[in-house]
Structure formats: structure tokens, C-alpha cells
Amino acid sequence: MSNRRFSEMLNQWEEQRQQKQELVTVPVSVAKKDLERLQALADVYDQPLESIMADLMHAALAEAESSIPYVPGSRVIRVEDGEPCYEDEGKMPDYLDARHRAAHPEN
């Protein structure tokens, strides 16, 4: 095994170790039909059910987050390339505040 391959393997192990440290277990209830679908994906792709659920949740959250619409307000908050950027009066500011509170519950 070349030094490069060995180094890549060690880096991959370290990345996996760090990812595992970030995992939290939460109880979740799902519809029986959804559990069947999840189990089918796990079987077809030879992955643990928990990994399939976590990956799907991660992808769904990223999609949901990017789908929160921007609602331009009347107040200009900055100018970029000569164009005014208006404050967002949609749900994104509230979402970002709630996300910050969830990440820092002691504040």
C-alpha cells in the first residue's frame, strides 16, 4: 500500500470518527408504509436502516431550507454591485433565529 493510499485511508477514518461524534439518537415515529419503504431502500442498497433514515432526513432538510422563499422587504440592508439588497421579510430570518436557539439552548 502506497503512503498516499494509507494517508487517504487514515483521513477517511478520521472523518468517519468525527461524523460519528456529531450523531445524536432521537426517537421518531413513522407511518408503517414509510417504514416499509425505508426498509426496502436499506435492503436494496445494503445500508443500515438508520443510515438511510439519516441520509434522507439530511437531504430533505437541505431541500426544505433552500426552498424557504425570500420575501423582499422595504428596507435596504446593503448594496452589492450597485444594486440594493432588501431585508428578508419571509420566514428565513425566523428560521435562522430558531436554528441558532436550537444550536445554543443555553442563551
Side-chain angles (χ1 to χ4, degrees), residues 9-27:
M9 181 179 65
L10 291 175
N11 287 338
Q12 183 180 22
W13 288 350
E14 178 60 22
E15 185 178 310
Q16 290 170 346
R17 184 190 69 78
Q18 289 175 357
Q19 288 174 351
K20 284 181 183 176
Q21 288 179 331
E22 293 292 318
L23 295 178
V24 240
T25 301
V26 295

Side-chain angles (χ1 to χ4, degrees), residues 28-38:
V28 62
S29 297
V30 296
K32 184 178 178 185
K33 291 285 185 191
D34 288 341
L35 181 58
E36 292 167 1
R37 295 162 69 189
L38 289 164

Side-chain angles (χ1 to χ4, degrees), residues 33-82:
K33 291 285 185 191
D34 288 341
L35 181 58
E36 292 167 1
R37 295 162 69 189
L38 289 164
Q39 188 61 59
L41 286 169
D43 291 349
V44 167
Y45 288 98
D46 193 26
Q47 295 291 315
L49 178 65
E50 297 80 7
S51 294
I52 294 292
M53 292 176 72
D55 289 346
L56 287 170
M57 183 176 292
H58 181 78
L61 288 169
E63 182 68 23
E65 201 172 70
S66 68
S67 296
I68 297 173
Y70 164 70
V71 179
S74 57
R75 187 170 69 98
V76 175
I77 56 173
R78 69 180 174 278
V79 176
E80 289 182 6
D81 298 327

